[in-house]
Amino acid sequence: MKVSEVFQWKRPEIRALHLTWLAFYISFFVWFGMAPLASSMLKSLNWLTPEDIKLFAIANVALTIPARIIVGMALDRFGPRRVFSILLVVMALPALFFAFGDTRVQLLVSRLVLSSVGASFVVGIHMTAMWFKPRDIGFAEGFYAGWGNFGSAAAAMTLPAIAIHAFGGPDGWRWAVAASAIIMAAYGVFYWFAITDGPAGTVHRKPHKTAALEVSTWADMVKLIIWTIPMIGVLAILVWRVEGMGYLPENGALICYVAIAAVVVYQVIQILRVNVPILKKGVPEDDKYPFNSVAALNSTYFANFGAELAVVSMLPMFFEMTWGLTPTTAGIIAASFAFVNLVARPMGGLVSDRMGNRRFVMLAYMLGISVGFLFMGLMNEKWPLFLAVIITVACSVFVQGAEGATFGIIPSIKRRVTGQISGMAGAYGNVGAVCYLTLFTFVTPSQFFMVIAAGAFISFGLCLCWLKEPEGAFSEEYYVSSVDRELEVLEAQKTV
């Protein structure tokens, strides 16, 4: 696929791509609308503290983890059009509750619920995979995610000015957040009627069951269980922080811990219920896929998207405090980290398409992230501001490119369960964000960047050992196994 093709509006797949990245853009604009308004909130609400803002930042990515798992399952069952539309409309409600929150608990809870809108990313990945061929999927997914992710940069660049100049007064930030929420709900309604799940005649291949990811071997089932536990268990970190800051009594925290443990146990049971009958029956050779590749890509998204979520949540205030900038100026400069999404993420997918070796591209990007954050860890107030901005942008090029490379691989691993694999990898991005943002409450910004650099290098090592080049990654059509055909026949019989 050529870059110029994205301007061919009359082609249905190009139109679908633009409709979908715009939906993702709006959801990200709303999702990350708090970070650039943090200083305005502190000035407006004299009972709010910087520690509260840090906690809200953790809450802002917490429920995206289970939401992406649930949405991944819903995608494989209901299709992306319905899931995306409903998600945008429903998530406008907690955004409005946050906009007009007048207590710390209300702000925390509404931000926690709103974090579920982060699952929108997985929906668009699935929709894009239904419209584009394997040979073009890297660039298409990268373009979708890059332009959609730009919503966070747009929020950082515009929301402070909108709050101050369009609405004004101490409550300007509230009306800025509320207006973006209303726009998101309206677009959700529009999206329902504006698009379909793939071109006419598209076969929506579904797994045996959507309750858990299907695997190919008994060993893979054990690995799936091991990788599932942190996705839910990481929420215990949030509970611990909430309790430590006085938002939750000890008994309430205990109830939350028990609930998290129960969800983990339930999910493990679902994995067993779905996979034990399949494995006992035996998985045909042509239907097997390497779960190690899924695990490796979980780690890459932990290290790249997790880093992005964490960094965009703290970068405006970092520039403001380190170089003594105004909130608006700091927001615009900090937005440079997400701004390059417009080019870097599509480029990551395009390079993955053109190089002919998606694994090599993934390894190169993860190594680049390690070096980039190492340099960011060395930045301080003595550095010229322009040099800090250059390093921030350069690091971001590798971060966003790695994200594009990750989802240039995922659709080719196992077409039938793309939604669930995307959901799991996407959830690990938020696991990374929760872990990184929690660490940020205990370390300096320089130490924080060093930790992220170490995480990226560990992921590089896992990819080196586990990631395999997917078969048919540059084919005209996605691979169809004997089991895919059997399930297609069964689905056709149901509709007769």
Side-chain angles (χ1 to χ4, degrees):
M1 181 177 177
K2 297 179 181 178
V3 176
S4 59
E5 292 181 44
V6 299
F7 299 106
Q8 298 176 2
W9 314 101
K10 293 184 179 180
R11 290 172 53 182
E13 68 270 24
I14 300 300
R15 188 165 57 252
L17 178 62
H18 288 298
L19 288 171
T20 303
W21 77 252
L22 187 55
F24 183 38
Y25 171 96
I26 294 171
S27 68
F28 252 52
F29 189 98
V30 174
W31 189 16
F32 287 99
M34 184 190 74
L37 297 173
S39 57
S40 298
M41 291 173 62
L42 289 172
K43 293 174 184 176
S44 171
L45 308 174
N46 56 18
W47 41 266
L48 207 60
T49 69
E51 290 304 310
D52 291 323
I53 295 295
K54 287 184 178 181
L55 180 61
F56 296 164
I58 299 173
N60 197 48
V61 297
L63 287 191
T64 311
I65 300 167
R68 285 188 169 181
I69 301 169
I70 295 168
V71 164
M73 296 174 184
L75 283 172
D76 288 332
R77 182 173 182 181
F78 300 111
R81 177 184 65 90
R82 287 183 284 183
V83 174
F84 216 152
S85 296
I86 292 171
L87 186 66
L88 294 177
V89 173
V90 171
M91 284 298 105
L93 297 176
L96 289 170
F97 276 107
F98 179 82
F100 300 108
D102 56 6
T103 67
R104 293 197 310 163
V105 173
Q106 186 177 344
L107 292 174
L108 175 65
V109 172
S110 57
R111 209 71 216 175
L112 185 63
V113 176
L114 179 60
S115 67
S116 300
V117 79
S120 59
F121 167 72
V122 176
V123 189
I125 286 290
H126 194 76
M127 177 66 89
T128 305
M130 295 185 75
W131 278 95
F132 287 87
K133 308 290 186 183
R135 68 174 187 272
D136 299 323
I137 196 63
F139 177 72
E141 298 284 25
F143 186 89
Y144 152 76
W147 282 69
N149 268 6
F150 181 67
S152 63
M157 290 188 294
T158 62
L159 276 177
I162 291 172
I164 294 170
H165 301 296
F167 296 106
D171 290 333
W173 69 269
R174 294 183 183 276
W175 293 106
V177 172
S180 64
I182 293 170
I183 291 171
M184 181 171 71
Y187 192 83
V189 175
F190 168 75
Y191 193 80
W192 179 283
F193 299 101
I195 198 170
T196 58
D197 289 331
T202 297
V203 177
H204 186 196
R205 303 193 183 279
K206 302 180 181 180
H208 290 88
K209 296 179 181 179
T210 57
L213 179 64
E214 299 173 18
V215 293
S216 302
T217 67
W218 293 100
D220 284 351
M221 186 177 71
V222 174
K223 295 171 187 174
L224 174 59
I225 291 172
I226 292 172
W227 280 87
T228 297
I229 293 172
M231 285 197 301
I232 308 299
V234 73
L235 295 177
I237 295 176
L238 176 63
V239 175
W240 170 66
R241 289 297 296 158
V242 169
E243 180 189 10
M245 294 184 64
Y247 281 82
L248 195 64
E250 185 176 345
N251 290 340
L254 181 60
I255 293 172
C256 291
Y257 289 133
V258 172
I260 292 169
V263 172
V264 170
V265 171
Y266 173 78
Q267 195 59 40
V268 170
I269 292 172
Q270 292 297 96
I271 291 172
L272 296 173
R273 287 181 61 188
V274 168
N275 285 288
V276 168
I278 294 173
L279 295 174
K280 280 185 176 180
K281 181 181 177 181
V283 179
E285 286 298 320
D286 71 338
D287 196 53
K288 292 182 177 179
Y289 72 93
F291 183 80
N292 276 357
S293 289
V294 177
L297 295 173
N298 289 344
S299 79
T300 65
Y301 222 59
F302 179 105
N304 54 50
F305 190 64
E308 179 187 352
L309 292 184
V311 169
V312 298
S313 297
M314 55 76 68
L315 207 56
M317 191 168 287
F318 168 69
F319 273 102
E320 183 178 345
M321 299 301 181
T322 304
W323 282 277
L325 306 175
T326 65
T328 301
T329 303
I332 293 173
I333 293 176
S336 62
F337 191 88
F339 186 87
V340 295
N341 258 311
L342 292 174
V343 177
R345 190 152 183 171
M347 184 175 68
L350 185 62
V351 170
S352 183
D353 289 342
R354 297 284 176 84
M355 285 289 290
N357 189 323
R358 299 192 189 276
R359 178 179 179 272
F360 173 79
V361 173
M362 190 78 259
L363 288 168
Y365 270 117
M366 294 313 298
L367 190 59
I369 292 175
S370 300
V371 176
F373 277 115
L374 180 64
F375 277 102
M376 286 189 71
L378 300 175
M379 296 190 312
N380 56 49
E381 70 280 359
K382 296 178 181 179
W383 284 46
L385 181 59
F386 79 90
L387 184 58
V389 173
I390 290 172
I391 291 175
T392 298
V393 171
C395 181
S396 182
V397 167
F398 283 99
V399 172
Q400 324 298 352
E403 293 166 6
T406 297
F407 280 89
I409 296 175
I410 283 178
S412 297
I413 293 178
K414 190 65 180 173
R415 172 70 164 172
R416 190 170 70 241
V417 289
T418 294
Q420 288 167 293
I421 295 175
S422 298
M424 189 175 196
Y428 260 94
N430 289 82
V431 172
V434 169
C435 292
Y436 287 144
L437 284 170
T438 301
L439 283 170
F440 180 58
T441 63
F442 299 103
V443 300
T444 66
S446 294
Q447 292 170 333
F448 176 66
F449 294 133
M450 291 293 186
V451 168
I452 295 177
F457 189 74
I458 291 171
S459 176
F460 167 81
L462 293 178
C463 287
L464 192 63
C465 297
W466 291 347
L467 184 61
K468 293 184 178 179
E469 182 73 11
E471 295 182 14
F474 301 96
S475 302
E476 283 286 333
E477 299 292 343
Y478 290 99
Y479 177 75
V480 179
S481 71
S482 58
V483 175
D484 289 325
R485 287 189 286 270
E486 289 175 11
L487 292 173
E488 185 179 339
V489 171
L490 291 173
E491 187 66 24
Q493 292 174 348
K494 290 180 183 178
T495 57
V496 173

